[in-house]
Amino acid sequence: MRLHVIPTPFYAANCVIIVPDGSTTACVVDPSAGVIDTITRILADEGRKVGAVLCTHGHADHVWEAAAAASLNEEGTQVPVYIPGPDRYRMDDPLAHTPAPPQVTAMLGPWRKPEDLRDFPAGSVELIDGLWMKMVPAPGHTEGSAVFIGHCDVTVVVDGEEVTSSSTPIPWALSGDVIFAGSVGRTDLPGGNETQMRHSLRTISNALDPQTFMIPGHGPVTTLADEIATNPYLSRARKIG
């Protein structure tokens, strides 16, 4: 399976294209503003169409082009867009809950809500052929923020450059804005909660395999083991919960 990580112009959010082996479709994760042309190019290079879109949470920099990305399929109709249920209300007007300065909103254009919006299901889910994922709720950044985990052989390509490859199954995760390399998502925006974030960080750091390869919503890729060893926010959460 190949995971293409695309740093985007909108607050440098990471969009991810997941390309399962043997499938005819791909899953687009967190399609931020200004990224559709790159998504289209990568899909063409891979010979795939979009089969599903996943938004890790409802902030504007992670959902803005969800409807456009969902239209990149064979039929031209929109494929399902999944989001954690507690954040679904944010999709009515993402900027109403995460205001942005005028210089940012000027680049966005009008908001277009996805036509087929769905809560991410409980349990282990096959979003598209060959892509099984499970959502671990991790509120604190938003009410619905979560970590999405998988387990398979992966090749990770960041901005066109291969950064890791495993020919055997390994645990990997999309950590959204829960855990970054050396930091965590902010909790001072509407729907954020610092106490909940500490609890979520403690749960994630104790429940997931430390060798989990993590692709965050912003910044470089990392591993859970590295974050447990060096991330001060995880250290604090593990001590006081």
Side-chain angles (χ1 to χ4, degrees), residues 65-105:
E65 297 289 1
S71 299
L72 299 175
N73 67 89
E74 289 283 4
E75 293 76 24
T77 56
Q78 290 197 17
V79 301
V81 176
Y82 295 93
I83 191 167
D87 270 16
R88 187 168 175 171
Y89 78 96
R90 294 173 177 271
M91 298 295 277
D92 290 332
D93 184 2
L95 286 178
H97 310 285
T98 50
Q103 62 268 31
V104 172
T105 57

Side-chain angles (χ1 to χ4, degrees), residues 100-177:
Q103 62 268 31
V104 172
T105 57
M107 66 171 277
L108 296 181
W111 165 243
R112 180 185 170 199
K113 184 177 178 180
E115 295 172 4
D116 187 357
L117 187 62
R118 306 182 188 184
D119 293 357
F120 194 95
S124 185
V125 180
E126 189 176 27
L127 284 187
I128 58 174
D129 289 344
L131 173 61
W132 288 87
M133 301 193 74
K134 185 174 183 178
M135 180 177 73
V136 180
H141 180 61
T142 67
E143 305 94 329
S145 53
V147 172
F148 297 83
I149 58 176
H151 191 276
C152 62
D153 57 301
V154 293
T155 296
V156 179
V157 180
V158 178
D159 208 13
E161 180 178 348
E162 184 177 309
V163 297
T164 190
S165 182
S166 172
S167 59
T168 58
I170 63 169
W172 55 274
L174 305 170
S175 60
D177 282 7

